């Protein structure tokens, strides 16, 4: 019997090329089409397990890379990992301390556990995106960039508008390597502008 794994071109490619997940190709596509990550960037990757974006990030920057997930991430040379919920103040403080200075990129490929109820799942996914945006706004240095997975649906325009309040350039991008039929799309926000009285 042919499993979904053997039918999926990107899963097979990931296996052959040593990536932990097919998601690696989404970040590679994003970076090829809309260069976001520069070679000295410090990056925080939210929802990072099993770690294929971390693998790609390691090839793109010599800066510090921190991956955060609810689930443990198998160790990866040159990458710091944190197990926890990125929406909590404790984990956010831990990440800031580990970064030890300015953070120039926040990426978020986090997805909630799906219930199967489309509008409920979409609302939770957008909620995670809002949390990732709040985190990015609290840590990014001026000029920083933000990539965030989200899902098209009725709550999407509000998240998109919120991102636009903080970045000079904001686009959406749907990678070819996204699963057919999935409603996922990535917000690519560049050139963060901190409000004058904001931290840090
Ligand atoms: C699609 S996977 C990420 C794949 C990853 N980009 C890669 O390349 O390996 C989504 C991840 O989001 C994580 N996640 C969801 N909500 C989270 C939260 N509040 N805090 C941390 N991680 C979360 C899940 O545990 C899951 O591992």
């Amino acid at each position: 019997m042919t499993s979904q794994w053997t039918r999926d071109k990107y899963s097979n490619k990931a296996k052959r090329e040593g990536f932990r997940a097919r998601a690696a190709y989404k970040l590679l596509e994003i970076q090829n089409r809309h260069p976001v990550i520069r070679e000295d960037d410090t990056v925080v990757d939210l929802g990072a397990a099993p770690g294929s974006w971390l693998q790609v990030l390691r090839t793109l920057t010599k800066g510090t890379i921190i991956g955060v997930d609810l689930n443990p991430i198998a160790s990866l040379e040159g990458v710091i990992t944190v197990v926890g919920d990125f929406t909590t103040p404790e984990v956010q403080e831990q990440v800031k301390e580990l970064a030890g200075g300015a953070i120039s990129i926040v990426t978020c490929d986090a997805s909630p556990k799906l219930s199967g109820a489309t509008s409920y799942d979409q609302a939770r996914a957008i909620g995670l995106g809002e949390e990732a945006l709040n985190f990015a706004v609290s840590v990014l240095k001026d000029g920083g960039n933000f990539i965030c997975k989200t899902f098209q649906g009725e709550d999407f325009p509000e998240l998109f508008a919120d991102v636009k309040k903080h970045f000079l350039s904001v686009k959406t991008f749907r990678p070819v390597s996204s699963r057919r039929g999935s409603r996922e799309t990535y917000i690519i926000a560049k050139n963060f502008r901190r409000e004058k009285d904001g931290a840090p």
Side-chain angles (χ1 to χ4, degrees):
M1 202 178 88
T2 312
S3 68
Q4 181 167 1
W5 173 266
T6 55
R7 282 200 307 267
D8 185 317
K9 157 175 143 185
Y10 287 102
S11 297
N12 286 330
K13 192 165 149 71
K15 212 173 180 185
R16 274 199 315 275
E17 295 180 354
F19 286 119
R20 294 177 179 185
R22 68 196 298 294
Y25 300 103
K26 302 179 198 172
L27 183 57
L28 286 167
E29 274 189 63
I30 290 169
Q31 177 71 4
N32 284 339
R33 286 285 297 279
H34 303 279
V36 175
I37 294 132
R38 300 149 294 204
E39 67 171 15
D40 58 347
D41 278 329
T42 289
V43 185
V44 177
D45 185 29
L46 305 173
S52 77
W53 277 32
L54 297 173
Q55 290 175 289
V56 172
L57 288 167
R58 193 63 292 171
T59 67
L60 298 176
T61 173
K62 298 186 181 72
T64 302
I65 300 174
I66 302 171
V68 186
D69 204 284
L70 296 169
N71 298 312
I73 302 166
S75 71
L76 195 56
E77 201 180 332
V79 172
I80 302 167
T81 60
V82 173
V83 180
D85 181 342
F86 77 78
T87 68
T88 62
E90 299 74 26
V91 169
Q92 295 185 1
E93 273 314 307
Q94 193 185 348
V95 169
K96 285 181 208 171
E97 271 172 37
L98 287 167
I103 294 171
S104 36
I105 309 276
V106 173
T107 59
C108 178
D109 192 33
S111 329
K113 273 217 169 86
L114 298 180
S115 71
T118 309
S119 58
Y120 173 71
D121 287 341
Q122 204 254 351
R124 287 171 64 229
I126 295 287
L128 263 189
E130 291 283 3
E131 295 279 2
L133 172 64
N134 291 340
F135 174 73
V137 167
S138 77
V139 299
L140 278 178
K141 66 175 188 182
D142 262 358
N145 298 332
F146 175 55
I147 301 174
C148 186
K149 175 160 76 189
T150 181
F151 293 85
Q152 289 288 357
E154 63 175 320
D155 301 319
F156 173 81
E158 194 175 330
L159 172 60
F160 191 72
D162 286 344
V163 177
K164 281 175 95 171
K165 289 178 194 157
H166 301 283
F167 294 84
L168 288 185
S169 157
V170 184
K171 295 190 169 110
T172 57
F173 178 67
R174 183 180 155 77
V176 174
S177 49
S178 285
R179 285 187 197 278
R180 200 172 297 167
S182 128
R183 294 156 75 101
E184 80 180 6
T185 190
Y186 288 82
I187 293 178
I188 299 169
K190 291 189 187 178
N191 216 339
F192 175 65
R193 285 287 165 255
R194 180 163 302 288
E195 282 169 18
K196 285 284 176 269
D197 58 348

